[in-house]
Amino acid sequence: MAARAMGRHGLAHAYGHVSARLNAESFLVSPAQPLGTVGLDEPGVQVPLDGDLPPGALPEVRIHREIYRRRPSVGGICRVQSPAVMALSALGETPRALHGLGTYFAPAPPLWPGVALVRDDAQAVAVAEMMGDAAAIVLSGNGAVIAGETLEEAASLAFFLEDAAKIELALLPARAAGRTPREYTADEVAKRAVRAGALFERMWQFLCFGDPEWQA
């Protein structure tokens, strides 16, 4: 469902992958196919946190593995190529906390400078280390990796990140005219970026069931 939601909302096209932690030793990643085409009964690929990648796991799945290794609280990861995030990264920028949804990445996600795909262990380690405890890391010209306590949360945050990038792009003409956007303060971020209540549950419902003509 998360894979199909990423495709449906334009957050991924022919590429990308989502994963969910199974236990302390392994996680399940979506099959190597366009996310929008992953069926509800499609088998994923189980990946151990230690050892080689199994057959069927794309090389970039190493990024998932390194994040899960370092962050026991992470239960889901989305690797997407959303267009506004990629456009902003081409300017050497990532979304700031300029509106409510942007506060989940305050002050701004780190930007991985490499433009090549991350396909070896050393680079995957470096990406995970740069990401640290952030909710997302943007890959220059190549989308982003987003982590959450659950896969539902990670999918919601992927939508939030793209929305924040759209705000940044919409404000480029104002910035060119010399106007400075107002950023949320640290206190405002603490009040806005809440995870209590049904926030992510509502976004998950929207991602999967928001269009009555589309079935999860």
Side-chain angles (χ1 to χ4, degrees):
M1 291 175 67
R4 289 163 64 87
M6 296 299 97
R8 171 180 179 251
H9 290 276
L11 302 177
H13 36 71
Y15 313 107
H17 22 92
V18 301
S19 69
R21 186 190 293 273
L22 294 175
N23 47 50
E25 291 80 34
S26 64
F27 62 93
L28 188 71
V29 69
S30 54
Q33 65 188 72
L35 291 182
T37 69
V38 177
L40 290 179
D41 57 351
E42 202 89 42
V45 180
Q46 187 168 342
V47 181
L49 292 188
D50 295 311
D52 296 332
L53 290 182
L58 294 168
E60 272 202 322
V61 171
R62 289 177 170 85
I63 303 174
H64 298 240
R65 184 173 63 184
E66 296 305 327
I67 294 171
Y68 285 126
R69 282 174 172 173
R70 285 161 176 75
R71 299 171 61 177
S73 64
V74 168
I77 296 172
C78 293
R79 168 73 175 96
V80 297
Q81 303 87 15
S82 49
V85 170
M86 289 199 291
L88 195 61
S89 75
L91 294 173
E93 300 181 16
T94 64
R96 296 165 294 167
L98 302 181
H99 76 322
L101 299 183
T103 59
Y104 290 87
F105 312 97
L111 177 65
W112 174 254
V115 295
L117 293 176
V118 178
R119 292 185 167 182
D120 62 61
D121 291 339
Q123 280 199 316
V125 167
V127 169
E129 289 179 346
M130 177 180 280
M131 184 179 185
D133 292 329
I137 183 168
V138 176
L139 309 178
S140 295
N142 197 25
V145 181
I146 303 99
E149 292 186 4
T150 64
L151 179 53
E152 292 86 350
E153 181 176 313
S156 299
L157 289 170
F159 184 93
F160 291 0
L161 184 66
E162 177 68 0
D163 201 64
K166 289 177 180 177
I167 295 293
E168 288 276 9
L169 293 178
L171 290 171
L172 286 180
R175 288 172 58 184
R179 300 192 63 181
T180 302
R182 177 190 180 279
E183 293 186 48
Y184 277 67
T185 66
D187 287 342
E188 290 171 331
V189 167
K191 292 176 182 178
R192 286 289 313 193
V194 296
R195 282 171 162 74
L199 178 81
F200 290 114
E201 290 86 347
R202 289 178 63 184
M203 178 53 66
W204 177 249
Q205 290 174 358
F206 166 76
L207 289 173
C208 294
F209 309 109
D211 185 347
E213 296 182 358
W214 184 85
Q215 298 295 320

